[in-house]
Amino acid sequence: MRPPLCLLRLSALGDVTHVVPLVRTLQRAWPGAEATPPLHWIIDPAGFRLLEGLEGVVFHVYDKRSGLAGMRALRAALPAQPFAALLQMQVAFRANLLSAYIRAERRIGYDRSRSKDLHGLFINERIPDRPGIHVLDAIGSFCEPLGLRQAEVTWDLPVPEAAREWARAQWPDDGTPVLMISPCSSHVRRNWYPDRYAALADHAASRGWRVVLCGGRSELERSTADAIVAAMRAPVLDLVGKDTLKQLPALLARADLLVTPDSGPMHIGNAMGTRVLGLHAASNPARSGPYSDRRYCVDRYDDAARKYLGKPASALKWGTKIEHDGVMELVTVDDAIDAFERYRADHGG
């Protein structure tokens, strides 16, 4: 029986979503779950809440707050037999240190250009160095040292029927197109401004669209949603803080168009087949935008590079973030309305 593989990717939600196509690639290569040891995945609590139920995967949850004691507990919980390979898909020092507690014959990590925080000390093989590719494709290339290629990208996120029922109950399925706004990233300098979200939302409402707000339970998300609602003239359905991570994919799937900065919901919505109007200035949409379709993204990354770093985006190291105060001011309301109207032209509504 083939020794199992272990995947290590703790966070964030967008990145753990990017790992799911790799899981599907590995599962297609070794079909017959009843005769094949499952994949093991070391993940953080939020990622587990999103992906719990992913078939053929045994999750091991590591909470960074547990420190070294949690690392030792993880090692004790893992199979005694070394894994055939560890796919070490995170370069942060904590993840690198955690990987040392995982017994594995092969330890596959990132190429040198993407390595940091002593990553090279914890691995003995590297993925190919391909600059200029999307984060999902970089993660997908972790199967290549195993003799595989990720030629197909599929997600099939585990969404329970109860979560879909909850999402269906939030508004009637009456044919009205839905603009969903998930306004906050965990990186606050990537976030757009409430008055600008409100202006876009009012424009969509004037075109006959239903506007829905979604988001988590943090103080920032609540205050941002309150400011958007206060600035709007049109009615809005405010669901911020009302869903769970299991319900979020089902909720995003009901939107026709999702408006969001570079965030976890951007990538979860993309995985569910929803078109995304991404708002980019602090990060490069070619690297970390919605994987399947970036036609409706606003891209001011090059403008940000020239303004804040004094050089074009093409001259920056791939993956450079431009998270400066005020960088999202480069994304105007007209930019977002133009992207919205491009979507309408392509899809009607």
Side-chain angles (χ1 to χ4, degrees):
M1 182 175 286
R2 178 179 56 86
L5 302 176
C6 184
L7 286 61
L8 195 163
R9 181 73 214 197
L10 298 175
S11 62
L13 288 177
D15 287 322
V16 299
T17 304
H18 292 329
V19 175
V20 176
L22 173 64
V23 170
R24 301 305 187 196
T25 296
L26 296 170
Q27 290 173 334
R28 283 193 298 270
W30 295 297
E34 69 284 349
T36 303
L39 299 170
H40 291 248
W41 184 344
I42 298 167
I43 198 167
D44 71 309
F48 176 67
R49 291 197 299 273
L50 175 68
L51 297 181
E52 182 181 9
L54 191 67
E55 67 276 9
V57 177
V58 174
F59 287 105
H60 303 273
V61 179
Y62 173 75
D63 189 332
K64 65 182 181 181
R65 294 173 297 183
S66 66
L68 291 176
M71 294 182 187
R72 290 191 291 268
L74 172 69
R75 182 180 177 89
L78 292 173
Q81 179 187 14
F83 292 105
L86 167 67
L87 308 187
Q88 166 47 331
M89 296 178 283
Q90 195 158 2
V91 297
F93 180 74
R94 180 185 287 110
N96 288 326
L97 181 60
L98 178 61
S99 74
Y101 286 80
I102 303 166
R103 293 175 286 262
E105 298 166 7
R106 303 172 66 185
R107 313 180 72 84
I108 301 170
Y110 280 100
D111 53 275
R112 286 182 172 80
S113 66
R114 278 177 284 223
S115 294
K116 62 179 182 179
D117 290 352
L118 305 180
H119 183 66
L121 298 180
F122 297 87
I123 61 174
N124 55 28
E125 296 181 57
R126 295 180 184 271
I127 62 171
D129 185 357
R130 293 196 187 98
I133 63 174
H134 194 279
V135 171
L136 185 147
D137 291 322
I139 289 174
S141 65
F142 271 83
C143 68
E144 294 183 28
L146 304 174
L148 305 173
R149 294 283 295 201
Q150 183 165 287
E152 178 183 343
V153 172
T154 56
W155 288 271
D156 297 325
L157 299 182
V159 183
E161 181 57 29
R164 296 184 186 274
E165 290 177 359
W166 179 87
R168 287 194 292 266
Q170 301 311 304
W171 66 84
D173 189 8
D174 56 7
T176 303
V178 173
L179 180 73
M180 188 170 293
I181 299 175
S182 179
C184 294
S185 163
S186 58
H187 300 263
V188 295
R189 290 186 178 91
R190 297 181 191 175
N191 292 343
W192 211 31
Y193 307 101
D195 60 323
R196 299 190 185 191
Y197 281 121
L200 173 62
D202 281 334
H203 176 83
S206 75
R207 296 293 192 264
W209 283 52
R210 176 180 282 114
V211 178
V212 180
L213 297 180
C214 72
R217 294 171 172 79
S218 71
E219 181 179 343
L220 173 65
E221 289 164 295
R222 182 66 266 160
S223 63
T224 300
D226 289 342
I228 293 170
V229 173
M232 285 184 62
R233 300 185 304 273
V236 57
L237 175 59
D238 182 0
L239 297 179
V240 171
K242 297 182 179 179
D243 64 313
T244 66
L245 277 176
K246 270 300 180 193
Q247 293 165 339
L248 178 60
L251 188 67
L252 296 173
R254 290 203 67 198
D256 292 272
L257 186 62
L258 170 66
V259 180
T260 183
D262 187 351
S263 64
M266 168 182 285
H267 304 296
I268 298 167
N270 175 81
M272 295 301 294
T274 299
R275 297 291 192 273
V276 180
L277 196 170
L279 305 170
H280 294 269
S283 61
N284 185 351
R287 178 185 179 273
S288 60
Y291 182 80
S292 302
D293 190 348
R294 294 188 284 279
R295 287 177 294 168
Y296 310 112
C297 289
V298 176
D299 182 3
R300 292 293 181 184
Y301 182 70
D302 184 68
D303 294 330
R306 294 173 188 275
K307 178 175 180 178
Y308 291 97
L309 303 180
K311 60 183 72 174
S314 59
L316 301 180
K317 180 181 177 182
W318 189 252
T320 298
K321 304 292 194 305
I322 312 174
E323 294 176 340
H324 290 247
D325 288 338
V327 65
M328 291 300 288
E329 291 179 6
L330 294 169
V331 177
T332 68
V333 172
D334 285 344
D335 287 335
I337 288 176
D338 287 347
F340 172 78
E341 291 298 337
R342 287 200 304 275
Y343 176 89
R344 289 184 67 232
D346 289 345
H347 299 277

